Amino acid sequence: MVIAAGICVVVYLNSGPQSSNYAPRPASKPTAPANPLPTSARTSEPMKIPPVGETQPLSLGEIKYCLAERIRIERMQTIIDRTRDTHIRNFNSRVDNYNARCASYRYRQSDMTVARSEVEVMLPTLQSQAAEQVGGWH
């Protein structure tokens, strides 16, 4: 049974055009800020893994984590070996974790603006991290 399911996953991943098999729900919406600060007055927060859940308001650090993790997953998708069960399992686990935490959330528009600008400059580092992580999947 497990082997059959694994073969179905491999066949599915190897069929058709290479498109993303994760899709964050479009339910993420900005919330009205309680105390909006101008973007220039905001201080940055470190990335923080958000808790599992839907439609919860995320902090700046949690938004940054979600944006960064999406970049890592997108990079992983292009480099995983679809013939290796460990790659498929680890990638799917990563996507499931991302979806549980980041698929549907609320945020302040000012936080999203800051998060996007801070994560954007990290793109090469995030892609490199993704490649290193996939390289460790034996």
Side-chain angles (χ1 to χ4, degrees):
M1 179 78 162
V2 173
I3 294 172
I7 291 171
C8 289
V9 170
V10 170
V11 170
Y12 174 75
L13 288 174
N14 285 326
S15 65
Q18 300 292 325
S19 64
S20 173
N21 68 345
Y22 77 99
R25 291 176 231 143
S28 299
K29 296 179 182 159
T31 58
N35 261 333
L37 291 174
T39 301
S40 59
R42 307 264 343 245
T43 57
S44 183
E45 291 179 23
M47 279 190 209
K48 180 181 175 189
I49 300 173
V52 171
E54 293 185 8
T55 66
Q56 58 197 358
L58 297 186
S59 69
L60 174 59
E62 291 167 336
I63 295 168
K64 286 167 50 175
Y65 169 85
C66 289
L67 295 175
E69 187 66 2
R70 182 177 181 148
I71 290 167
R72 286 189 286 259
I73 288 172
E74 287 172 351
R75 177 66 177 134
M76 288 174 180
Q77 186 176 24
T78 67
I79 60 176
I80 63 170
D81 182 347
R82 288 174 169 79
T83 64
R84 297 183 72 180
D85 287 340
T86 55
H87 280 218
I88 293 166
R89 274 194 312 272
N90 287 331
F91 177 77
N92 286 339
S93 175
R94 191 79 177 235
V95 169
D96 289 344
N97 185 48
Y98 171 86
N99 284 336
R101 297 174 190 282
C102 301
S104 177
Y105 59 90
R106 294 178 295 141
Y107 56 89
R108 287 190 217 152
Q109 188 59 50
S110 60
D111 286 345
M112 180 60 80
T113 301
V114 170
R116 280 188 178 139
S117 67
E118 291 182 11
V119 170
E120 183 179 308
V121 298
M122 298 170 57
L123 184 65
T125 301
L126 296 169
Q127 290 176 335
S128 189
Q129 287 172 351
E132 287 175 25
Q133 289 167 355
V134 169
W137 295 345
H138 300 288

